[in-house]
Amino acid sequence: MPTVSLPDGSRRHFDAPVSVLDVARDIGPGLAKAALAGKIDDRLVDVRHEITDDVTLAIVTERDPEGVEVIRHSAAHLLAQAVKELFPEAQVTIGPVIANGFYYDFALEKPFTPEDLENIERRMKQLAKADLPVQREVMARNAAVEYFRGLGEAYKAEIIESIPEDQEISLYRQGEFVDLCRGPHIPSTGRIKAFKLTKVAGAYWRGDSNNEMLQRIYGTAWPNKEQLQAHLEQIREAERRDHRRIGTELDLFSIQDEAGGGLVFWHPKGARIRRVIENFWFELHERAGYDFVVTPHIANLELWKTSGHADFYSESMYEPMEDDHQAFQLKPMNCPFHVLVYKDRLHSYRDLPLRWGEMGTVYRREMSGALHGLMRVRGFTQDDAHIFCREDQIESEIVGVLDLTLELLTAFGFEDFDIYLSTKPEGAVGSDAIWDHATAALRAAIESKGLPYTLDDGGGAFYGPKIDVKIRDAIGRQWQCSTVQLDFNLPERFDMEYVSESNERKRPIMIHRALFGSLERFFGVLIEHYAGLFPLWLAPVQVTVLTITERQDDYARQVYADLRKLGLRVDLDLRNEKIGFKIREHTLKRVPYLLVLGDREQEMGTLAVRTRSGEDLGTMGLEALWNRLQAEIASRGH
Ligand SMILES: [Zn+2]
Ligand SMILES: [Zn+2]
């Protein structure tokens, strides 16, 4: 008779087989009411699952991430049930859980309209309120194929046909609706309390563009209404900050159909910001003891065979091009080029570490469906650098990279960092000794900074352990940014060497690191983080000079020229428009400072200064303004 071990270490003995729900009831009525599923060892099961043997069991509630997933997955079934009731001719396919929600793909000729979504959502609420029990049934595989064929569900039948014949299939029934599913599910539909359908999009059957197009309905589901509201509010806020919209409004960048997807055009105002970012990056790196290299965009395919990319990275690489009876490869990475620079001469242990940076533009294949503004592109510039060092220098080099990372990201207004350390996976190259040493060095470097981190055991690349730094933006979203990756593989493949103190040939350690990751993506994150309200040091236009009438034109031109001479990014607006209209327009362009010039200012040689937040700073002379702006630029908005 089963003994059930619970997460707190206690055990409960039962005289007969019990369900997960029975165990929850035995612990307390509150827990029985809250139970959504059970977790036996590492397997999720329904609350009605019968326990016959000794097991370790955790009761899963909405407080557990798994519990929220069960709610979301059950909401997908509820969606399918509502669609089948309202559109009996629709065929169901798959309905998985995704971040914050779920989707379900339907085959239906007529496109779903926004009114359809409202009706479906209303029906879902009724079905949830009816609190229908969700019951698991088991069927033989062939019987299940026949069953779904009989229902006219060709897609479901096709999915089941791909399951081995000898397997039993589990089905979940709620009311009239039955779906193929591994489970687990909530005990009854009433447990889905807070959800919303968000949009419809096209999706190919089995993700293959040769197949027919299905309609995918997306939804979000949460344990309670408060969490749902908070999430919807965050979506609205994210839409308000969408870098694609702000990028167009502020004329920062574009992606042109004529040129192709995933290729970014930086417009003059965007390029101004990029230049500020790059200049700052070079300055910081120079101070941190880096040198810089510049390398080509293509290279003989043989190089990529030596590096191994032609083999293990080929899916992300464009097809090589032929010239002069040789094949040339557009670069997906900069690393082999820096290796070639290293190998061009013999290095001594005294030369190390060598730190070489490059704003290296690379091209990678991405499915067109995966492209997204600046966040997911085909051509981008990495703020790349490689450090070649001795084994005894790993820790100090990693400390240096972490210092630089934090200094760089903090300057852009990011303060919350999540750090991940990934260690040796299965099938790794390099000896245990070198992995142990390198991993310990990474760990010591993180700990010496007093930074908390998460261990991703076995999550490293096959060629070395790594540190990832993710940033949180102004609305709490997490973005992968910096990576510091040790590499025991490329130095081996390229037979890299240095001459040691005892005059032996030794292999250097290679560290790959990119702090922004991709300049394009970082720019996208930055636009959304600031919602386009760039601090003064980054603003593409820092000051706009506005005239009230054309009598001030000459004075305005003089002020404009003076400010430009001081190195400020200035615009001049002499248009014959009402001053209120001009102010509003430049405020919408998020220009930090507006200088309004009328007769009085011209007579006194002063400036009336306004900020984009609408604050009136009164009149001041050019020097007073310059002092203020200089201090603000130097503070980088902090
Ligand atoms: Zn399911
Ligand atoms: Zn690299």
Side-chain angles (χ1 to χ4, degrees):
M1 290 302 106
T3 298
V4 177
S5 310
L6 296 162
D8 64 0
S10 67
R11 284 154 190 266
R12 280 167 199 262
H13 306 276
F14 297 92
D15 300 332
V18 283
S19 70
V20 171
L21 191 60
D22 291 332
V23 179
R25 229 176 252 134
D26 196 50
I27 299 169
L31 189 60
K33 228 178 131 200
L36 292 172
K39 195 170 167 187
I40 293 179
D41 301 319
D42 268 327
R43 192 166 65 97
L44 284 175
V45 296
D46 296 316
V47 293
R48 295 192 188 87
H49 176 87
E50 198 174 52
I51 299 167
T52 50
D53 301 318
D54 294 353
V55 294
T56 305
L57 171 73
I59 307 292
V60 175
T61 72
E62 63 177 44
R63 288 161 182 254
D64 304 300
E66 292 103 331
V68 180
E69 290 216 347
V70 171
I71 291 174
R72 287 179 181 150
H73 179 64
S74 300
H77 279 234
L78 196 66
L79 165 61
Q81 183 180 14
V83 168
K84 284 298 290 184
E85 286 192 17
L86 297 172
F87 304 87
E89 68 281 21
Q91 288 190 59
V92 293
T93 68
I94 54 159
V97 170
I98 51 172
N100 301 323
F102 59 92
Y103 68 75
Y104 209 112
D105 287 350
F106 300 96
L108 179 67
E109 211 130 303
K110 175 185 127 28
F112 289 116
T113 63
E115 294 78 59
D116 290 339
L117 277 204
E118 278 173 35
N119 288 332
I120 295 166
E121 193 177 300
R122 196 171 309 122
R123 185 66 194 138
M124 285 171 74
K125 283 184 181 146
Q126 290 164 354
L127 292 168
K129 209 167 171 202
D131 201 20
L132 306 168
V134 180
Q135 275 153 330
R136 186 173 192 271
E137 295 168 12
V138 177
M139 217 181 254
R141 183 265 214 181
N142 287 343
V145 173
E146 286 311 309
Y147 176 76
F148 280 102
R149 276 241 172 80
L151 292 176
E153 299 285 4
Y155 294 89
K156 275 287 169 206
E158 188 182 323
I159 296 170
I160 301 171
E161 268 179 332
S162 65
I163 299 172
E165 205 171 333
D166 55 351
Q167 276 191 27
E168 274 189 342
I169 306 296
S170 64
L171 307 177
Y172 280 79
R173 180 186 296 277
Q174 55 196 60
E176 299 294 299
F177 178 72
V178 181
D179 203 351
L180 161 76
C181 186
R182 204 177 292 143
H185 275 284
I186 49 170
S188 64
T189 56
R191 309 299 285 272
I192 307 172
K193 296 189 192 103
F195 63 90
K196 178 147 190 63
L197 299 183
T198 49
K199 63 175 176 184
V200 191
Y204 293 109
W205 167 234
R206 293 185 179 250
D208 184 341
S209 59
N210 297 316
N211 288 344
E212 56 273 40
M213 179 74 92
L214 307 173
Q215 296 190 65
R216 175 170 298 175
I217 299 182
Y218 286 93
T220 182
W222 297 83
N224 56 54
K225 295 229 160 58
E226 291 70 32
Q227 285 181 43
L228 173 66
Q229 282 314 320
H231 174 70
L232 294 176
E233 180 49 44
Q234 172 141 35
I235 291 181
R236 278 191 289 274
E237 185 57 32
E239 274 166 10
R240 200 177 70 75
R241 290 167 178 263
D242 192 319
H243 71 282
R244 294 166 299 180
R245 196 171 55 75
I246 295 176
T248 304
E249 275 171 24
L250 301 188
D251 196 12
L252 300 176
F253 72 91
S254 63
I255 290 167
Q256 310 270 350
D257 285 343
E258 239 179 299
L263 302 170
V264 180
F265 291 78
W266 296 69
H267 294 197
K269 292 211 170 83
R272 284 182 187 176
I273 301 180
R274 175 165 170 152
R275 200 163 48 81
V276 177
I277 295 174
E278 288 188 350
N279 288 349
F280 181 61
W281 185 91
F282 278 106
E283 189 190 309
L284 274 194
H285 281 73
E286 202 146 37
R287 260 197 273 140
Y290 281 72
D291 277 301
F292 305 103
V293 295
V294 180
T295 63
H297 285 235
I298 60 171
N300 199 308
L301 183 61
E302 291 305 315
L303 178 71
W304 303 99
K305 288 183 181 162
T306 307
S307 71
H309 289 98
D311 179 24
F312 68 77
Y313 204 67
S314 62
E315 280 188 5
S316 298
M317 286 158 57
Y318 283 99
E319 289 297 313
M321 48 195 135
E322 295 286 329
D323 188 44
D324 217 4
H325 306 292
Q326 295 178 62
F328 286 89
Q329 176 64 51
L330 190 57
K331 71 173 167 184
M333 292 195 184
N334 306 298
C335 333
F337 292 85
H338 295 191
V339 171
L340 291 188
V341 178
Y342 180 96
K343 276 179 62 91
D344 193 52
R345 56 196 53 213
L346 186 60
H347 296 279
S348 134
Y349 69 96
R350 274 189 238 97
D351 302 337
L352 304 183
L354 289 166
R355 308 183 190 103
W356 292 341
E358 177 176 14
M359 286 287 173
T361 303
V362 297
Y363 294 87
R364 295 182 187 170
R365 279 167 88 154
E366 289 282 355
M367 306 249 277
S368 55
L371 299 173
H372 178 76
L374 296 172
M375 303 305 191
R376 192 92 177 247
V377 293
R378 287 177 170 144
F380 59 96
T381 302
Q382 288 182 302
D383 65 315
D384 213 354
H386 294 94
I387 299 172
F388 303 103
C389 67
R390 305 189 306 256
E391 222 183 299
D392 63 291
Q393 294 171 323
I394 296 176
E395 187 180 331
S396 58
E397 285 310 304
I398 301 295
V399 169
V401 172
L402 287 179
D403 281 339
L404 202 54
T405 304
L406 299 185
E407 185 176 0
L408 186 76
L409 297 178
T410 309
F412 290 94
F414 298 104
E415 284 151 5
D416 278 346
F417 306 105
D418 295 302
I419 299 179
Y420 298 83
L421 172 62
S422 305
T423 62
K424 189 176 182 182
E426 301 273 326
V429 301
S431 68
D432 279 345
I434 181 81
W435 272 90
D436 289 348
H437 174 203
T439 308
L442 293 188
R443 193 190 295 263
I446 300 173
E447 284 171 358
S448 77
K449 302 276 101 202
L451 298 167
Y453 63 95
T454 308
L455 188 68
D456 182 2
D457 212 6
F462 73 89
Y463 46 88
K466 68 166 174 173
I467 297 173
D468 286 311
V469 180
K470 298 185 184 181
I471 52 179
R472 280 186 191 274
D473 69 10
I475 57 170
R477 291 172 302 176
Q478 199 183 45
W479 302 93
Q480 163 70 44
C481 232
S482 320
T483 303
V484 192
Q485 169 80 61
L486 261 66
D487 189 343
F488 315 132
N489 185 44
L490 275 193
E492 198 70 36
R493 281 180 165 269
F494 279 96
D495 194 23
M496 296 171 75
E497 292 179 334
Y498 68 90
V499 181
S500 76
E501 226 166 338
S502 51
N503 224 8
E504 288 164 309
R505 298 294 170 105
K506 288 192 124 181
R507 285 254 185 275
I509 299 286
M510 184 170 184
I511 301 172
H512 310 255
R513 36 115 297 170
L515 308 189
F516 295 131
S518 137
L519 269 183
E520 281 71 10
R521 188 159 175 281
F522 186 75
F523 187 38
V525 173
L526 212 52
I527 293 170
E528 299 200 356
H529 176 61
Y530 285 124
L533 292 161
F534 293 106
L536 191 62
W537 76 292
L538 287 171
V541 178
Q542 296 169 309
V543 181
T544 300
V545 181
L546 320 169
T547 50
I548 296 178
T549 71
E550 57 185 32
R551 289 194 299 278
Q552 295 91 40
D553 283 5
D554 288 343
Y555 177 51
R557 282 198 190 92
Q558 187 55 51
V559 170
Y560 170 75
D562 289 346
L563 291 171
R564 287 196 67 143
K565 254 184 244 155
L566 291 169
L568 290 166
R569 298 185 287 274
V570 198
D571 258 5
L572 179 62
D573 187 350
L574 301 179
R575 286 176 306 162
N576 185 21
E577 299 280 0
K578 289 228 164 56
I579 189 66
F581 173 83
K582 288 195 198 178
I583 288 174
R584 201 159 46 247
E585 202 177 273
H586 295 286
T587 303
L588 280 175
K589 286 186 181 152
R590 293 139 163 113
V591 177
Y593 286 93
L594 305 181
L595 310 184
V596 182
L597 308 187
D599 287 335
R600 236 175 67 94
E601 284 74 26
Q602 185 175 356
E603 258 166 52
M604 312 288 290
T606 56
L607 315 158
V609 184
R610 293 175 61 95
T611 68
R612 64 183 161 198
S613 60
E615 198 186 349
D616 184 351
L617 300 178
T619 54
M620 58 181 87
L622 191 71
E623 201 180 323
L625 175 72
W626 173 230
N627 288 339
R628 183 187 169 104
L629 298 188
Q630 262 183 308
E632 192 174 329
I633 288 168
S635 76
R636 301 208 164 82
H638 295 297

